[in-house]
């Protein structure tokens, strides 16, 4: 029996809140990625890790906030807690791999394509692993073409976001890129949901797992607390807001090959200008 799927049982509340979470995580993550390109090598891993966790937490929270409005008429929906939080780990790790590639190789060429592809696949993997954590009295089926479109959207959004992070153009530039990234990630989510169809078994057997409401509390307490902390770090870093680069040697910037240093002598040779002598007459005594 075909189940009736409703992804907007709370109206526009869940899509708007989900979009805001994707935007917030993307904004913090992109600013941290931008910041990593303005510091020395010793500080770069920390900023990249913070950016990876921010983006991963943002898109994960976006997904499950949106899923709060997902219902199937005729059956209740529960979630496997372990698989649900495993999807969070997958999102952070795969996004982190892509961000570290761009952070150390630069947001251009092969590095940008590779980093964007891995990050996009991480977003898509998080989505479908989170969907696999659902348990209900039915079977989930997906349209292959629509699933492929959702994955392409995720990869394109991630590549564009990483490119924007590498431009280092200040706060407003990152906000605009984050708005686009949040829209693309949310679009990827609802495109993937459009590929879903549910066939109910009609056995009315109780499903096991946690209800959506029981997952809401850890979602708000955990990832939101982290995003708040990341926001405080970004807000109190003047370079993050103003977008002014720190003094970083060219050899330490991503994507720029190192050059050999040529040491010059501390004391430069000083050349004295030639003195022009005026004719003052011969010093040789003349015979009188």
């Amino acid at each position: 029996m075909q189940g009736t799927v409703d992804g907007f049982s709370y109206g526009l509340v869940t899509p708007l809140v989900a979009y805001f979470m994707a935007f917030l995580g993307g904004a913090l993550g992109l600013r941290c990625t931008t910041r990593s390109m303005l510091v020395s090598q010793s500080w770069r891993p920390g900023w990249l890790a913070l950016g990876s966790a921010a983006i991963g937490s943002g898109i994960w929270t976006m997904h499950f906030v949106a899923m709060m409005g997902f219902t199937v008429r005729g059956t209740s929906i529960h979630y496997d807690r372990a698989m649900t939080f495993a999807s969070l780990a997958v999102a952070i790790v795969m996004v982190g791999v892509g961000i570290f590639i761009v952070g150390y190789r630069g947001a251009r060429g092969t590095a940008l394509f590779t980093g964007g592809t891995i990050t996009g696949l991480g977003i898509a993997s998080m989505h479908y692993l989170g969907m696999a954590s659902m348990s209900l009295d039915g079977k989930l089926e997906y349209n292959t073409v629509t699933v492929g479109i959702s994955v392409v959207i995720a990869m394109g959004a991630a590549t564009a976001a990483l490119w924007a992070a590498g431009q280092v153009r200040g706060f407003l530039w990152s906000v605009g890129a984050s708005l686009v990234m949040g829209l693309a990630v949310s679009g990827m989510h609802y495109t993937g949901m459009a590929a879903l169809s549910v066939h109910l078994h009609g056995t009315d057997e109780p499903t096991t797992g946690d209800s959506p409401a029981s997952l809401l509390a850890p979602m708000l307490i955990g990832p939101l607390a982290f995003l708040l902390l990341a926001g405080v770090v970004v807000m109190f870093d003047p370079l993050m807001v103003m977008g002014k680069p720190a003094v970083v040697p060219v050899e330490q910037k991503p994507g720029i090959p190192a050059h050999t240093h040529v040491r010059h002598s501390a004391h430069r040779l000083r050349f004295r200008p030639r003195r022009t002598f005026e004719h003052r007459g011969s010093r040789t005594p003349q015979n009188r």
Side-chain angles (χ1 to χ4, degrees), residues 14-279:
T14 48
L16 291 178
V17 175
Y19 171 76
F20 176 75
M21 297 311 304
F23 159 75
L24 180 61
L28 295 175
L30 293 182
R31 290 308 294 165
C32 291
T33 305
T34 298
R35 184 67 172 87
S36 71
M37 298 178 181
L38 304 176
V39 296
S40 60
Q41 293 281 354
S42 59
W43 286 96
R44 187 171 300 164
W47 283 107
L48 292 175
L50 183 61
S52 306
I55 294 179
S57 299
I59 62 176
W60 184 83
T61 308
M62 177 277 302
H63 172 82
F64 283 99
V65 167
M67 291 304 294
M68 291 295 298
F70 177 78
T71 58
V72 179
R73 187 176 300 174
T75 182
S76 59
I77 300 175
H78 296 270
Y79 291 88
D80 179 80
R81 184 177 293 269
M83 192 175 294
T84 298
F85 286 101
S87 66
L88 173 61
V90 168
I92 293 176
V93 170
M94 292 193 69
V95 169
V97 172
I99 285 181
F100 267 78
I101 291 175
V102 171
Y104 279 94
R105 298 296 182 181
R108 62 179 66 87
T110 305
L112 176 61
F113 175 78
T114 304
T117 300
I118 295 176
T119 302
L121 291 176
I123 296 172
S125 300
M126 179 280 305
H127 173 85
Y128 290 105
L129 183 59
M131 295 298 295
S133 67
M134 284 197 312
S135 60
L136 46 81
D137 184 26
K139 180 182 179 183
L140 305 181
E141 295 182 353
Y142 293 93
N143 181 282
T144 306
V145 176
T146 311
V147 169
I149 294 174
S150 69
V151 174
V152 171
I153 292 174
M155 291 180 357
T159 303
L162 292 178
W163 174 82
Q167 301 310 302
V168 195
R169 293 189 182 181
F171 181 71
L172 293 179
W173 175 267
S174 293
V175 169
S178 303
L179 290 171
V180 176
M181 181 182 181
L183 184 63
V185 170
S186 299
M188 174 269 161
H189 170 83
Y190 286 104
T191 301
M193 296 305 296
L196 175 67
S197 61
V198 180
H199 294 273
L200 298 178
H201 299 318
T203 58
D204 292 329
E205 294 180 356
T207 55
T208 59
D210 296 314
S211 65
S214 64
L215 285 178
L216 181 61
M219 273 198 300
L220 294 179
I221 295 174
L224 281 181
F226 170 77
L227 291 176
L228 178 62
L229 177 62
V232 171
V233 173
V234 170
M235 184 171 54
F236 284 96
D237 186 350
L239 290 178
M240 296 292 291
V241 178
M242 301 301 296
K244 294 180 180 179
V247 180
V248 183
V250 175
E251 292 78 8
Q252 295 182 3
K253 291 184 178 180
I256 300 179
H259 300 282
T260 57
H261 293 277
V262 179
R263 294 186 176 181
H264 300 279
S265 175
H267 302 283
R268 295 182 179 179
L269 294 177
R270 297 183 178 179
F271 296 94
R272 286 185 174 182
R274 290 186 176 183
R275 299 177 60 184
T276 57
F277 298 93
E278 298 180 356
H279 180 69

